[in-house]
Amino acid sequence: MQWGDEGKGKIVDLIAPQHDAVARYNGGANAGHSVVVKGERFSLHLIPSGILYPSKLAIIGNGVVLDPDKLQQEIDGLRSRGVDTSGLIVSSRAHVVMPYHKAEDAAREDSLKKERLSRDGEQSSVVSEIGTTRRGIGPAYAEKVQRSGAVRVCDLLDPETLREKISIAIATKRASLVDQPGVAATLDVAGVTDWALHAGENLRPMVQDTTYLLNNLVRAGKKVLFESANGTLLDVDHGTYPFVTGSSCSVGGIGPGTGVPVQRVGRVTGVMKAYSTRVGAGPMPTELTGDGEDGKIGDRIRTRGREFGTTTGRPRRVGWLDLVAVKYSAMINGTTGLALTMLDVLAGFDTVRVCTKYEFAGKQTDRFLPDSASLSAARPIYTDFPGFSEDVSAARSRGELPPRARAYIEFIEQTVGVPVDIVSVGPDRAQTITS
Ligand code: IMP
């Protein structure tokens, strides 16, 4: 419901038992889903969080951009900790993040930064580096749309097609990348082809037509949980463009990203944090920064919430809850229930603020402004709540929460117009309120 890192991993892990399969439909190894089971922390990037249940299928759909090295690392990591990964299935039509995509991502970010510094050094609201994860996500999706040289998982199993596609892709990139440091290996057709063939052999046992698989499951009355990556406000169409990722992170991405018609989607659980965070550049109206009181509150939330990226380790930008944004996300996704996470982090503040409107172009509005230039000119208008001092991490029902925390939740429900079905008060599976 926000800019990613809302705690989707934990919520997926929590509701996975009610499903037969968990499927990812967008993004790639840019995502970072943390799940804590019996005190043990698992960080997943590509593999659906449902993998932690041995009986579930964990499906990587065609809409994902797949980095085979990262996938293998994740599989090895899980196996070494005794997790059964035999339920993992990969779409034959998922696009592959190739070594040159990561080189392109880094080169593009570096040149955007250089360009910005040569202009005025200021972070521009429209053109500056995006602050990507440098995992090759944008270039891999761009290649998919450009078509000719794009490599899909099925191509990894077909040496002739593979060699041809890699030659085409490298031929079109050589001129722009050749002067970049450390990229020579990514432009070596033979070397990249060998790497890709090896990746294909590792993947072969997992590769299937996941579109038929998923539709057959749905037709047979099985329950599938579609796990989104990143966040609605990073959606390439509906997010704070151009500071977004390369995929459709909202529910609308399920159709193209899996081949399952969106009208088959029933419940939509919108995962949201009790405050806001963002990694990378782009507008964030409620951000708490600076040397004054706001910056101190931001630092405190960052430390208490361990707000450092699962994928890149970067400190996350922190701000008060922006309900204008969440309400917009609920509209885009058709959210039927909210899962509110990190409520425990807000304990101990005298006042807790919630943005309910923006002031923009001299007027007040309750509309989100999904364009970076407009949103960066918006000023948040807050409703203030008295904070709650009690530690809430041991609460297991709403009734056990302090009245002020309950009032905060009720205000979210009323403003967004969607019930809060789940409240998370700590990282462990057990630290959850569902009643
Ligand atoms: P990219 O997805 O690596 O291209 O990065 C684009 C923007 O999305 C950057 O601001 C990233 O920090 C952000 N981003 C991508 N994936 C995630 C995520 O899973 N959580 C939070 N931010 C993300």
Side-chain angles (χ1 to χ4, degrees):
M1 301 295 278
Q2 294 155 317
W3 283 284
D5 309 314
E6 299 89 348
K8 295 184 290 293
K10 168 172 170 171
I11 302 300
V12 168
D13 176 71
L14 196 76
I15 57 184
Q18 302 150 29
H19 299 80
D20 301 288
V22 182
R24 274 274 303 266
Y25 61 91
N26 78 299
N30 52 352
H33 293 170
S34 302
V35 185
V36 178
V37 185
K38 295 193 182 114
E40 212 183 331
R41 181 177 286 271
F42 293 87
S43 290
L44 299 163
H45 300 281
L46 265 167
I47 300 181
S49 310
I51 196 77
L52 300 175
Y53 290 93
S55 59
K56 312 283 173 217
L57 291 179
I59 301 171
I60 297 182
N62 60 279
V64 170
V65 285
L66 185 121
D67 178 335
D69 291 343
K70 289 272 173 250
L71 182 69
Q72 195 57 50
Q73 276 170 20
E74 228 165 281
I75 293 172
D76 294 344
L78 288 170
R79 283 188 187 148
S80 72
R81 294 166 79 182
V83 177
D84 174 10
T85 57
S86 59
L88 180 62
I89 296 168
V90 173
S91 166
S92 53
R93 297 209 309 275
H95 279 251
V96 180
V97 177
M98 303 294 285
Y100 38 77
H101 291 143
K102 290 187 240 180
E104 281 182 298
D105 199 353
R108 196 173 166 77
E109 285 286 280
D110 287 343
S111 77
L112 283 166
K113 184 173 180 188
K114 217 158 123 195
E115 173 64 21
R116 169 173 65 80
L117 292 174
S118 74
R119 256 190 343 258
D120 53 9
E122 287 297 309
Q123 197 79 34
S124 153
S125 60
V126 186
V127 191
S128 75
E129 69 274 27
I130 293 169
T132 72
T133 57
R134 299 187 174 220
R135 293 282 162 99
I137 306 299
Y141 279 117
E143 191 98 64
K144 172 178 177 174
V145 176
Q146 279 164 347
R147 291 151 291 175
S148 333
V151 174
R152 305 200 288 184
V153 167
C154 54
D155 301 322
L156 300 178
L157 309 177
D158 174 354
E160 233 162 86
T161 309
L162 183 64
R163 201 161 289 119
E164 205 175 328
K165 289 195 166 190
I166 291 174
S167 305
I168 293 170
I170 290 181
T172 60
K173 292 170 202 304
R174 186 176 294 283
S176 61
L177 282 180
V178 80
D179 293 332
Q180 299 293 326
V183 302
T186 75
L187 300 176
D188 168 19
V189 175
V192 174
T193 308
D194 284 350
W195 167 85
L197 286 169
H198 179 69
E201 282 319 306
N202 285 340
L203 285 170
R204 192 184 285 278
M206 297 170 239
V207 178
Q208 281 193 38
D209 182 325
T210 53
T211 302
Y212 272 104
L213 172 71
L214 283 164
N215 276 286
N216 287 340
L217 286 172
V218 172
R219 282 201 199 114
K222 302 283 185 201
K223 294 242 181 303
V224 180
L225 175 59
F226 295 100
E227 174 181 353
S228 163
N230 321 129
T232 299
L233 305 177
L234 292 171
D235 185 289
V236 68
D237 283 285
H238 303 295
T240 50
Y241 197 88
F243 298 98
V244 293
T245 187
S247 69
S248 300
C249 315
S250 46
V251 168
I254 293 174
T258 66
V260 175
V262 278
Q263 65 268 33
R264 302 304 299 262
V265 174
R267 264 172 41 205
V268 176
T269 300
V271 187
M272 61 175 286
K273 254 180 211 179
Y275 48 90
S276 306
T277 62
R278 172 162 206 168
V279 200
M284 181 181 180
T286 63
E287 184 168 12
L288 291 160
T289 49
D291 298 329
E293 196 49 33
D294 275 2
K296 284 197 193 112
I297 295 172
D299 287 343
R300 188 156 158 217
I301 295 178
R302 184 177 303 104
T303 308
R304 287 181 59 114
R306 294 173 304 276
E307 295 295 355
F308 297 88
T310 315
T311 301
T312 59
R314 290 180 287 180
R316 295 177 184 142
R317 297 159 62 195
V318 169
W320 293 120
L321 178 58
D322 183 343
L323 281 185
V324 180
V326 171
K327 201 172 168 184
Y328 167 78
S329 291
M331 174 178 79
I332 301 285
N333 289 298
T335 306
T336 58
L338 293 166
L340 179 69
T341 64
M342 313 290 271
L343 185 65
D344 51 306
V345 175
L346 285 189
F349 289 99
D350 293 339
T351 303
V352 176
R353 313 193 83 186
V354 179
C355 170
T356 45
K357 280 188 182 149
Y358 298 144
E359 192 180 290
F360 176 66
K363 289 196 189 118
Q364 291 195 1
T365 178
D366 59 3
R367 278 196 179 198
F368 189 64
L369 304 160
D371 169 74
S372 286
S374 309
L375 191 62
S376 52
R379 204 179 56 82
I381 298 175
Y382 289 110
T383 301
D384 287 349
F385 287 82
F388 49 95
S389 54
E390 303 87 339
D391 174 20
V392 297
S393 60
R396 295 294 176 266
S397 71
R398 268 223 210 177
E400 287 170 43
L401 288 172
R404 287 173 171 182
R406 288 208 299 269
Y408 190 69
I409 298 172
E410 280 154 21
F411 185 75
I412 293 171
E413 291 179 315
Q414 277 157 19
T415 309
V416 182
V418 177
V420 172
D421 294 333
I422 299 172
V423 181
S424 171
V425 291
D428 205 90
R429 253 183 206 167
Q431 291 176 299
T432 312
I433 296 171
T434 51
S435 59

